[in-house]
Each structure stands twice: as C-alpha cells, then as structure tokens.
C-alpha cells in the first residue's frame, strides 16, 4: 500500500516539473541598462583657515590669571547621633573670596577658620577654637547581651471537635 502511494507521489512530482522556463513578467522584455558614470561636480578644496590670532592673556608663571565669577553659598550639617557638626559659608565678588567654616573636633572643641583669598595675597586664614578640649576616660568594653533560648512551655491541646453521635 505504501509503495503504491509513494510511486504515485513521485509520478505527480515528475509530471509537474516545467520543461521550459516561465515567461518573464507578463511577456515583456527586460529594459536595456542606460547607466552612465556621473560627471565630477566639485573643485579642488581651498584652505579655509587663517593664522591664529595672538593672545595676550595675563599669566603668573605658568598659570593663567582670569577674572573670577561672583558667587555666594552656604551649607551646614548637624547630626547629634553620629556627633557631626560642621558648616561652610563663602562668597566672592569675582576678585576676592571671603569665607568661614566650622568643624566640631573629636575633643569637643569647635575649630573656626575664617579666610580671604585673592590673586595678590593668596590664601590667608585665621584659625580659632571655641570650647575646651575634653578627654574622658575610656570605658571598658562590654559585649552586648547574648541571645538565650526561651524556656519551653507545653500546654495540653484542647480538642476542637465534638463527640461523635
């Protein structure tokens, strides 16, 4: 049975094969190519640069001195849990920078730095301290209490069903 079906399929395939090529697109002939290479439409490049302009910028040594930008900022941080307390305040008119910052030191004092900076005098700071240094005696190490398992308790379970009838 299978042999007969296979033979019929092979015969159908052999008969369905075309003996000549199919006609090209509805019987029309393909167009003839008319390509011609393009003509160059550019000229040789011309230089588009000029000699650099001389720069006469103010320099001190190898450093360029430029006019500063005016600014004003301030921030502060206080975290009593971690013992942090510091702030910074600074402003400038574009030529001279004035500012102050404060830091709480580990010994309990507050360090205050007041400063002025410009291109002629450089950075000038005045450092002062508020408070008195304190050095408490270190406490001996006490480990945290360790976990202990709770005492076992046992209660007789109560039945949640009734007596069968």
């Amino acid at each position: 049975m299978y042999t007969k079906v296979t033979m019929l399929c092979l015969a159908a395939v052999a008969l369905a094969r075309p003996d000549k090529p199919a006609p090209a697109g509805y019987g029309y002939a393909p167009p003839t190519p008319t390509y011609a290479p393009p003509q160059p439409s550019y000229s040789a490049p011309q230089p588009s640069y000029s000699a650099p302009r001389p720069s006469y910028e103010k320099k001190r040594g190898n450093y360029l001195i430029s006019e500063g930008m005016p600014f004003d900022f301030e921030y502060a941080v206080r975290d009593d849990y971690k013992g942090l307390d510091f702030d910074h305040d600074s402003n400038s008119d574009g030529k001279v920078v004035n500012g102050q910052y404060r830091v709480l030191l580990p010994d309990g004092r507050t360090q205050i730095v007041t400063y002025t900076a410009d291109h002629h005098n450089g950075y000038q700071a005045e450092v002062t301290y508020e408070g008195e240094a304190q050095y408490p005696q270190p406490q001996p190490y006490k480990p945290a209490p360790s976990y202990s398992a709770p005492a076992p308790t046992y209660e007789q379970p109560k039945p949640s069903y009734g007596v069968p009838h």
Side-chain angles (χ1 to χ4, degrees), residues 76-121:
V77 174
R78 182 171 181 152
D79 184 354
D80 293 330
Y81 180 76
K82 294 198 177 200
L84 299 174
D85 187 7
F86 56 92
D87 63 68
H88 188 179
D89 180 13
S90 185
N91 60 49
S92 172
D93 61 359
K95 297 180 182 179
V96 178
V97 178
N98 297 305
Q100 177 182 27
Y101 59 90
R102 304 167 65 92
V103 178
L104 179 63
L105 299 175
D107 62 8
R109 300 179 296 164
T110 301
Q111 179 184 34
I112 304 167
V113 179
T114 306
Y115 62 89
T116 302
D118 61 21
H119 286 292
H120 299 290
N121 300 315

Side-chain angles (χ1 to χ4, degrees), residues 53-67:
R53 294 182 296 151
S55 62
Y56 302 101
E57 297 172 336
K58 294 181 180 179
K59 288 190 176 185
R60 180 177 291 157
N62 291 333
Y63 300 103
L64 176 66
I65 299 174
S66 60
E67 192 70 27

Side-chain angles (χ1 to χ4, degrees), residues 18-35:
D19 292 334
K20 60 181 183 174
Y26 301 110
Y28 294 110
T32 57
T34 58
Y35 174 77

Side-chain angles (χ1 to χ4, degrees), residues 13-22:
V13 169
L15 292 174
R17 193 183 107 210
D19 292 334
K20 60 181 183 174

